[in-house]
Amino acid sequence: MQTIFSIAIDAFAYGMALFIICIGLSLTMGLMRVVNLAHGAFAMIAGYIASYAQRELGTGYAAAILLAILGTIAISIPLERFLYRRIYGSPQLTQVLMTIGITFCVIGITNYFFGPTLKTIPLPPSLAEPVDIGFRTVAAHRLFVMACGVVVAAGLWFLIERTMFGIKLRATVDNAAMADALGVRTQVVYAISFAIAMGLAAFGGVVGAEFLPIEPYYALRYMVTFLVVVSVGGAGSIPGALLACLVLGAIDTTGRYLMPDFGNFFVYAAVIAIVCVFPRGFLGRAQ
């Protein structure tokens, strides 16, 4: 029972960390129709900012997270304006080539300025210590990641389904030309959506660094993982992405606990089976 409980806690926490990072990619692919292979690069940038803020500037963990999010969004705004905006509506191959080029540029810059070493983001004592939940103890950081995932899921659902911005975004997705004719500033909607997606990537990159360590090749190392989550959940679907992260997190964690020599075999075998049964993902919609 101890092993089962440990697997369940680690799987849920890992799944939530994946969700926070990947939901931004799901939104850009499903709603903005942009195949952003550089998504992981923004999560990596945030990790470096948070590590630098804590180790060099002496900020606390919360301040480091805030600086990482704001810094990543600040970097993403000119990139969206001068690069991404040029590929909206372009063929997917064009988008792939542009965004993977951005990824390699970020990797090169990171290696040049920070070197090829792993960057750590120290946890505060309140998150580093275990929490007694009655019948056993659980790492506080895992509980924190779970709570963050729930808050992000609920907040995004409310933003898209219950706010005026969400209405404009859905209208732009369904028919950008008509929305523009009706007075919706579609370019502004896209810019804000992109900034939100990058902010979520930044947040996930920092709080999920215990599961996905920050290093110069982070963007390439986890690129397939992030794409798999979007494909299995269904691009643009918040519940689908959440379900995909929890399912894949459970399979991956269980496999690593019980049969570590198989590596990622079980998770990718599960992906093949899921995609065969659900070609558009769990909750994907026809494009």
Side-chain angles (χ1 to χ4, degrees):
M1 287 300 296
Q2 291 288 338
T3 301
I4 294 174
F5 185 80
S6 296
I7 292 174
I9 291 295
D10 286 349
F12 190 51
Y14 174 56
M16 282 302 193
L18 273 181
F19 171 76
I20 299 171
I21 299 174
C22 296
I23 188 59
L25 179 59
S26 181
L27 293 177
T28 54
M29 289 182 64
L31 298 182
M32 299 174 64
R33 308 287 195 269
V34 176
V35 183
N36 184 19
L37 297 188
H39 187 82
F42 290 94
M44 181 183 76
I45 289 170
Y48 273 88
I49 293 174
S51 179
Y52 180 82
Q54 282 193 278
R55 295 189 173 278
E56 302 299 329
L57 303 180
T59 65
Y61 187 69
I65 292 177
L66 181 60
L67 286 174
I69 294 173
L70 294 178
T72 304
I73 291 176
I75 292 171
S76 73
I77 290 174
L79 289 177
E80 190 277 336
R81 174 63 181 84
F82 296 108
L83 294 179
Y84 282 89
R85 195 167 294 187
R86 297 176 181 273
I87 60 173
Y88 291 156
S90 298
Q92 290 186 344
L93 180 59
T94 301
Q95 298 176 353
V96 166
L97 292 174
M98 169 75 83
T99 56
I100 204 168
I102 294 173
T103 299
F104 280 107
C105 287
V106 171
I107 290 173
I109 293 170
T110 302
N111 268 302
Y112 180 79
F113 284 103
F114 299 100
T117 57
L118 185 75
K119 295 297 180 182
T120 58
I121 304 174
L123 296 174
S126 58
L127 295 181
E129 298 175 355
V131 175
D132 188 355
I133 58 174
F135 56 94
R136 67 158 296 162
T137 58
V138 178
H141 177 258
R142 280 161 168 69
L143 297 177
F144 173 69
V145 173
M146 296 177 198
C148 288
V150 172
V151 170
V152 167
L156 272 180
W157 176 86
F158 181 82
L159 176 68
I160 294 174
E161 299 294 335
R162 292 291 185 269
T163 66
M164 182 58 67
F165 175 78
I167 295 173
K168 292 179 179 179
L169 175 59
R170 285 182 279 122
T172 302
V173 169
D174 291 336
N175 193 324
M178 180 60 71
D180 191 57
L182 293 174
V184 176
R185 301 176 64 185
T186 55
Q187 297 291 348
V188 174
V189 170
Y190 278 137
I192 295 174
S193 300
F194 189 82
I196 292 173
M198 295 307 101
L200 290 172
F203 183 48
V206 177
V207 301
E210 294 291 310
F211 302 97
L212 306 176
I214 303 297
E215 43 93 13
Y217 291 94
Y218 178 102
L220 282 181
R221 188 179 303 277
Y222 302 113
M223 180 186 292
V224 174
T225 301
F226 301 154
L227 289 174
V228 160
V229 168
V230 176
S231 298
V232 170
S237 172
I238 297 173
L242 180 58
L243 179 60
C245 289
L246 294 179
V247 170
L248 296 178
I251 294 171
D252 192 25
T253 304
T254 302
R256 292 180 185 276
Y257 259 92
L258 303 180
M259 304 182 74
D261 292 340
F262 278 76
N264 292 325
F265 169 80
F266 293 107
V267 69
Y268 287 112
V271 169
I272 293 171
I274 292 170
V275 171
C276 287
V277 178
F278 304 96
R280 297 192 181 98
F282 285 136
L283 299 175
R285 64 178 185 175
Q287 299 297 321

